[in-house]
Amino acid sequence: MIWETPLSDHDLSWVLEPVRLLFSERLFSAAHPEALPNGTEVLTDLDRAMLLENSQELPREYRIWQDVQANAVSPFYCTDAYATISMDIENAIAPFWEQWEPIRMALVKRRLRKTQTGFDNFVNTLLYDAVEQLKQVSAARYCLGPDGEPVLEALFQVYHAGFYPCGWRRGNHIVCFDPSVLEGHGTGCLLDYPV
């Protein structure tokens, strides 16, 4: 379903819920494991998580994560509906980037001073990917209607639980990384990040 009339405030709130997660204390908190989709595989080994996320040669029980995401996005990516909602999505995210910039600069200084923690590095490296994925969830909700797209909705559930989605098991189960195992992990909104 594609919205054929202007969105109500309620509908727009639901569409933008994924990108508004950026302003929440939930993102990367690992504080809500009960909110993970049923069957989620949770990893505590960052190297393994990055292997599953980035490798083209995986054990047989896994699918290539980038392919899974691309297949989920491709049915609506080049539609007029996607173009229609894109500006609302970008406008919803703009304040986050404005508030994030001084934090990003502080993280760069920590890296240069060699005082960056494992969690600092994780956030600095993967935040942009998280934003792009959450944008796709919002776009899918707008383009596809109330049911959204199952892979992207599972991805959102993982972020909403405070974890990082990094792979897909055959048999339709998402894989995620638990960022709470990283040195320097703390809870609270990333916009309140201690710098």
Side-chain angles (χ1 to χ4, degrees), residues 40-46 48-55 58 62-66 69 122 126 133 155 158-159 163-169 174-178:
T40 300
E41 180 180 347
V42 180
L43 303 177
T44 56
D45 179 343
L46 183 58
R48 180 157 175 79
M50 293 301 98
L51 173 78
L52 292 181
E53 181 176 42
N54 298 304
S55 179
L58 297 171
Y62 297 97
R63 293 177 54 200
I64 297 171
W65 181 225
Q66 292 162 352
Q69 291 178 75
F122 175 83
L126 299 173
Q133 290 172 353
L155 179 148
V158 167
Y159 279 120
F163 294 76
Y164 181 74
C166 61
W168 197 265
R169 283 186 76 96
I174 197 162
V175 181
C176 70
F177 174 70
D178 178 352

Side-chain angles (χ1 to χ4, degrees), residues 8-79:
S8 69
D9 288 343
H10 179 282
D11 291 336
L12 186 59
S13 179
W14 175 74
V15 165
L16 296 178
E17 177 189 13
V19 293
R20 289 182 174 151
L21 182 67
L22 297 167
F23 299 90
S24 164
E25 62 197 29
R26 294 179 81 107
L27 189 67
F28 300 145
S29 69
H32 302 279
E34 73 284 353
L36 288 169
N38 289 337
T40 300
E41 180 180 347
V42 180
L43 303 177
T44 56
D45 179 343
L46 183 58
D47 289 338
R48 180 157 175 79
M50 293 301 98
L51 173 78
L52 292 181
E53 181 176 42
N54 298 304
S55 179
Q56 297 290 308
E57 297 180 17
L58 297 171
R60 291 179 47 95
E61 65 269 23
Y62 297 97
R63 293 177 54 200
I64 297 171
W65 181 225
Q66 292 162 352
D67 291 351
V68 172
Q69 291 178 75
N71 290 338
V73 171
S74 63
F76 64 87
Y77 184 73
C78 292
T79 64

Side-chain angles (χ1 to χ4, degrees), residues 2 31 55 63 71 74 91 96 115 125 131 159 169 187 190 195:
I2 297 176
S55 179
R63 293 177 54 200
N71 290 338
S74 63
N91 287 340
F96 175 81
T115 60
T125 303
V131 171
Y159 279 120
R169 283 186 76 96
T187 58
L190 287 182
V195 290

Side-chain angles (χ1 to χ4, degrees), residues 107-123:
L107 291 176
V108 168
K109 289 176 185 173
R110 283 188 194 174
R111 189 181 70 230
L112 293 172
R113 294 179 183 138
K114 299 190 186 321
T115 60
Q116 189 176 53
T117 67
F119 186 69
D120 292 342
N121 187 49
F122 175 83
V123 169

